Amino acid sequence: MPCMDTLVVDHPLAAQLLTRMRDETTDRAGFRQASDELAGMLVYEAARGLETETIRVRTPLTETDGTRIARPPLVVPVLRAGLGMLGPAIRLLPDTDTGFIGVSRNEETHEPEPYMNSVPDDLDGRPVLALDPMLATGGSMLYTCELLAERNPGPITVACILAAPEGVERLAESGLVHTLVTASIDERLNEDAFIVPGLGDAGDRLFGTA
């Protein structure tokens, strides 16, 4: 079974942003701003292993070698909360394409219930960056990665703001994910399958209840 690399972004600025997101007194505007900035740091790290190629560019003084991403990943936010991480991904990877996968969680069974998919049928070995703020039970992300795995992807990287040990283990056991990037692996899930200490429901805090 392939081994999943797990990277916890251990940086003072990341820790400060995560603290703002955890704080229940942080309003929606503050939560969105912190989420946007922290997601940018996670995408930055998630892109570290992307293949690059050398190009020639002219500076105001001379020609020199430069670097560009050889094949930008397909960015796949898991709806709806993953939309909160899409902006930074597009800013850092402006040449990328985006596919959307919609998955809601059944609050009684805690299992994923898919409702949307706009990922191409054949990814032709293209790397994929999947985005979801919360990796709790891992059900929604596992469903996403299983769907992606059926479409001939390259390496699948998952970026989450928070993860629970249960979700990390579930993704690792699947053998589908090459790299997981997160700001924190928290203590556990509670009886309602919410991450503890967590930050509440990321979708609700980003967009309001729906």
Side-chain angles (χ1 to χ4, degrees):
M1 178 182 296
C3 179
M4 182 179 77
D5 293 329
T6 301
L7 172 62
V8 178
V9 178
D10 183 16
H11 192 286
L13 294 179
Q16 179 172 264
L17 290 166
L18 180 56
T19 298
R20 286 173 56 196
M21 294 182 70
R22 291 192 193 275
D23 189 344
E24 67 177 2
T25 67
T26 299
D27 63 14
R28 185 167 300 150
F31 189 90
R32 284 177 174 171
Q33 180 181 18
S35 173
D36 185 89
E37 293 174 1
L38 182 51
M41 299 180 71
L42 298 178
V43 171
Y44 174 90
E45 292 296 341
R48 187 176 294 277
L50 291 176
E51 180 183 354
T52 62
E53 59 187 7
T54 300
I55 60 172
R56 292 293 288 176
V57 296
R58 174 171 289 279
T59 77
L61 302 177
T62 186
E63 284 194 350
T64 188
D65 286 339
T67 300
R68 69 181 175 194
I69 304 298
R71 196 176 192 191
L74 177 72
V75 175
V76 180
V78 181
L79 304 181
R80 68 180 166 146
L83 288 175
M85 302 177 70
L86 179 58
I90 291 176
R91 288 198 302 270
L92 291 170
L93 298 164
D95 295 326
T96 192
D97 298 314
T98 306
F100 297 92
I101 295 179
V103 185
S104 61
R105 185 176 77 161
N106 186 303
E107 295 302 331
E108 293 183 1
T109 66
H110 306 147
E111 290 301 311
E113 295 183 346
Y115 61 87
M116 180 182 178
N117 169 25
S118 67
V119 175
D121 290 337
D122 186 0
L123 295 174
D124 191 29
R126 185 175 187 175
V128 178
L129 174 58
L131 307 174
D132 196 348
M134 312 294 282
L135 180 64
T137 66
S140 295
M141 185 55 74
L142 181 58
Y143 169 83
T144 296
C145 293
E146 287 173 341
L147 186 151
L148 292 167
E150 296 172 352
R151 302 186 179 214
N152 190 27
I156 298 174
T157 299
V158 172
C160 299
I161 287 173
L162 277 186
E166 296 90 336
V168 174
E169 181 178 4
R170 193 170 182 183
L171 278 196
E173 289 177 347
S174 75
L176 300 175
V177 177
H178 183 271
T179 304
L180 169 66
V181 180
T182 185
S184 176
I185 299 177
D186 277 13
E187 296 173 8
R188 58 184 172 85
L189 296 176
N190 66 12
E191 61 276 7
D192 295 318
F194 279 96
I195 301 174
V196 177
L199 48 78
D201 187 300
D204 286 352
R205 296 192 70 184
L206 283 165
F207 306 117
T209 57

